[in-house]
Amino acid sequence: RPVLLGGVGNKLPLKTRQNCLNKFIDEYLTFCGEEEAFKRGLSSEKSVYDRSKTENIYKVFAVHEVKKIRTQSESSKTGSSPQKPMTADEMKRLGNRVVSHEAILNGKISGTFSIEKRQQRV
């Protein structure tokens, strides 16, 4: 595994950066070869490091990067690309359909339960 080397004027602790690099590599190894995972992991870590100014911002960007890698992993396993937003023409073709709030929240499969607040008896 690649190891990051510390230099003068680093914005972040080296241990934090190394932990994130290892996490990126672990995620890439789920769908890439070892060499490719190392290259992509180093590239992702450098990208996150360059965009961040503080340690907290670095950690937020790192979490987003892991989510992005997982999305890539899922799309490579299923053989499809992530779902694209609909264009205006596609929306016009579908027409004006009424969709309930519950249907949007639950998706295609919805449960058959409800939660109600009990009324207190006086």
Side-chain angles (χ1 to χ4, degrees), residues 83-97:
Q83 189 174 6
K84 298 181 288 186
M86 290 177 63
T87 63
D89 291 335
E90 290 172 331
M91 285 189 227
K92 285 180 186 176
R93 191 169 19 97
L94 288 175
N96 295 331
R97 295 182 183 173

Side-chain angles (χ1 to χ4, degrees), residues 102-121:
E102 182 181 19
I104 292 172
L105 292 176
N106 292 330
K108 292 181 181 179
I109 302 171
S110 62
T112 57
F113 66 91
S114 64
I115 300 172
E116 296 179 11
K117 186 176 181 180
R118 289 187 174 198
Q119 296 178 352
Q120 295 179 350
R121 297 178 194 233

Side-chain angles (χ1 to χ4, degrees), residues 23-82:
K23 184 64 178 170
F24 296 155
I25 291 172
D26 290 341
E27 293 296 329
Y28 279 122
L29 283 172
T30 61
F31 66 98
C32 290
E34 194 172 273
E35 286 297 316
E36 182 71 19
F38 293 163
K39 287 179 188 175
R40 286 185 176 194
L42 285 168
S43 173
S44 294
E45 196 283 327
K46 180 162 178 24
S47 169
V48 169
Y49 179 75
D50 290 342
R51 290 184 292 158
S52 60
K53 295 182 181 185
T54 66
E55 187 173 358
N56 287 337
I57 293 173
Y58 178 84
K59 289 178 181 179
V60 169
F61 285 152
V63 168
H64 288 293
E65 189 69 22
V66 169
K67 285 182 182 180
K68 187 170 81 173
I69 296 168
R70 286 182 181 163
T71 302
Q72 288 176 358
S73 171
E74 289 170 7
S75 67
S76 71
K77 287 179 184 175
T78 60
S80 64
S81 60

